[in-house]
Amino acid sequence: MALSDVYWDHQIPLPKLAPVQAKVTVALVALLCFINSYDGEFVFDDSEAIVNNKVCFLFLLSDRDDRFSVRWVVVSLSLCAAAMLCKEQGITVLGVNAAFDVLLICNVNVYELSQRLLLRKNPLDILRTGLPTRLALMGLGGLSMLYARWRIMGTGPPAFTEVDNPASFAENIFLRIVNYNYYYSLNAWLLLCPWWLCFDWSMGCVPLIKSATDWRMAWLLLLWCVLIGLISQALCSQDSQRRRTLTLGLVLLVVPFLPACNIFFRVGFVVAERVLYLSSAGYCLLLAYSMGHCCCRWSKYRKPLGVSMLALLCVYVARCALRSHQWRSEQSLFTSALSVCPLNAKVHYNVGKNLADRGNSTAAIAYYREAVRLHPTYVHAMNNLGNIRKERNELIEAEQLLSKAVSIQPDFAAAWMNLGIVQNSLQKFEEAEQSYWNAIRFRNKYPDCYYNLGRLYADLNRHIDALNAWRNATVLKPDHSLAWNNMVILLDNTGNLGQAELIGREALRLLPNDHTIMFSLANVLGKSQKYKESEGFFLHALRISPNSASCHGNLAVLYHRWGKLELARKHYELSLKLDPEAPGTRDNYNMLRRKLDQLKHPTP
């Protein structure tokens, strides 16, 4: 068989399917991947893959048709817009669709077309297919979506820091270009050998190339030698089938990667698995064509080549299954990155945060410390480590860590608030107040900070200021239960029972099932001698939280005052059963028992 008759994978000794069966098989596999992408407790930035799976799924089901079809163009634009809502890479689907239209649906020979245009010959046969109209529609739609995305982003590029993409901040333009190309070679290597995978490659995970004598320069040269060879074959080969196949493969390989190449705008990452999802289709096409070419040229080695191809597929499937398993939870995803990028501070930070969220703060401290050691200005790691120290009442170290964090990043509002909490615990009230106001200055809508500021004012007996701070918290966050509850308690303690009742009822209109506010309001109503209404709120709170010792104890006090002594005894006993050390409950219970004894055995 002549070499020019090779058609993608016809020469590969693998099972062959009819066109309809092949489409159904691929569609079912795509649908299975799409459904599986929703499974698992954790999804980390993979919405782009889900949406693009939808695009590819519908794209594979469409039939070849030389007639002009507005319907499929509109569907393609709609799905592209949906993809762009998740990730900007979704716009590349239009480029892939355009290449598919040109090379396969309209069967255009790019080489001959370029020759016609250079010789100023009119390509009427292409115009009759409706291809220019479809390309114009996709181009107009793509420009519209780019403009919309630009407006949504605030008519400016997003801001990134040096740790996100170090090459973009290199002073020398030559170093930028060299390191960008090294990133391209890393992505190419991950396509060929997807073993060295990590969820984040920032913070020194890939050291910069700073010298022409760096041995990694060899990877750049190898990458461009391969690309130039493929491009020359795609443009200049005498075999038209080879040109079309290689051109489509290169388009599928390169076009989806363009948004991540730092050419049009600076991106916020070094390497990311998600930008290779669509590019892997081009790699698979080129691999299949290369295998078919080898089987045609060395026909006597077809069986070994087929076995090697099958073995490669099995390795890829196993790696895919392993990586998918790692993505099913934060713990497995973050810990898998430790062996790939041990110098990445963000990896250690995320492992520590996951451990802290699961209650293992002791182990989390070690990872936070390592993150700060690797990246001494990592303020988020300092903030989280300071919080753990604060919870362990190690306030001096917590204050040092948080003070350093805000000195490095003065607009870090969360660190200012946490520093204020620590300073309040250390009774440095003036410093704490200033820290709270700094946090509010850098984040205007910060209800938790207003809540903590109110607690500071309450400790200083500045009751009006405390109420104003808590009111600000509830204005910014109407369901801020703690702020509402503290207002009721403070007004209750200061004897403003009427105002406390009004605040409590207002809070319950917004939070009708909050048992803590019901408890506080019931106490206010009991002091106002509104026993029946107070009883109702206590019982409602107990239906929501039946094991609340304090609620049983205060309901017992209400019944004690009300004269319902048997009910009082019942709830005193329930309270003591739940919390035998409850302050005051044992004394009140003993008083009740003495009173009951006096009623049973009156003094003659």
Side-chain angles (χ1 to χ4, degrees), residues 293-313:
H293 181 82
C294 292
C295 289
C296 178
R297 172 160 292 188
W298 299 294
S299 57
K300 62 180 180 179
Y301 298 112
R302 289 181 65 185
K303 285 188 178 180
L305 288 171
V307 171
S308 64
M309 172 63 85
L310 187 60
L312 182 63
L313 290 175

Side-chain angles (χ1 to χ4, degrees), residues 35-43 324 327-329:
I35 294 172
N36 188 61
S37 63
Y38 284 108
D39 189 21
E41 65 181 71
F42 176 74
V43 179
S324 297
W327 276 83
R328 292 180 68 88
S329 69

Side-chain angles (χ1 to χ4, degrees), residues 64 116 121 174 239 325:
R64 286 183 57 174
R116 284 190 180 188
K121 292 183 179 180
F174 174 76
D239 187 341
H325 176 73

Side-chain angles (χ1 to χ4, degrees), residues 464-481:
I464 301 300
D465 291 333
L467 290 172
N468 288 334
W470 288 329
R471 173 58 77 176
N472 285 332
T474 59
V475 169
L476 294 172
K477 186 180 179 183
D479 60 345
H480 203 301
S481 172

Side-chain angles (χ1 to χ4, degrees), residues 7 15 20 36 65 70 183 213 223 256 327 361 391 481 534 567 596:
Y7 187 76
V20 175
N36 188 61
D65 191 353
V70 177
Y183 294 164
T213 59
L223 172 68
W327 276 83
S361 58
E391 292 167 1
S481 172
S534 176
L567 287 173
L596 289 173

Side-chain angles (χ1 to χ4, degrees), residues 13-35:
L14 294 173
K16 294 179 174 60
L17 298 174
V20 175
Q21 293 174 329
K23 285 185 178 182
V24 171
T25 301
V26 175
L28 288 176
V29 172
L31 181 61
L32 180 63
C33 293
F34 172 63
I35 294 172

Side-chain angles (χ1 to χ4, degrees), residues 164-215:
D164 297 321
N165 188 353
S168 295
F169 291 85
E171 296 180 0
N172 192 321
I173 187 66
F174 174 76
L175 290 180
R176 289 190 196 177
I177 295 173
V178 168
N179 283 281
Y180 285 159
N181 280 272
Y182 180 60
Y183 294 164
Y184 305 159
S185 65
L186 279 178
N187 282 279
W189 175 248
L190 290 180
L191 278 178
L192 294 171
C193 182
W195 189 258
W196 198 37
L197 299 177
C198 181
F199 72 91
D200 184 271
W201 293 74
S202 62
M203 291 193 171
C205 194
V206 181
L208 290 178
I209 295 176
K210 297 182 179 180
S211 171
T213 59
D214 195 311
W215 66 271

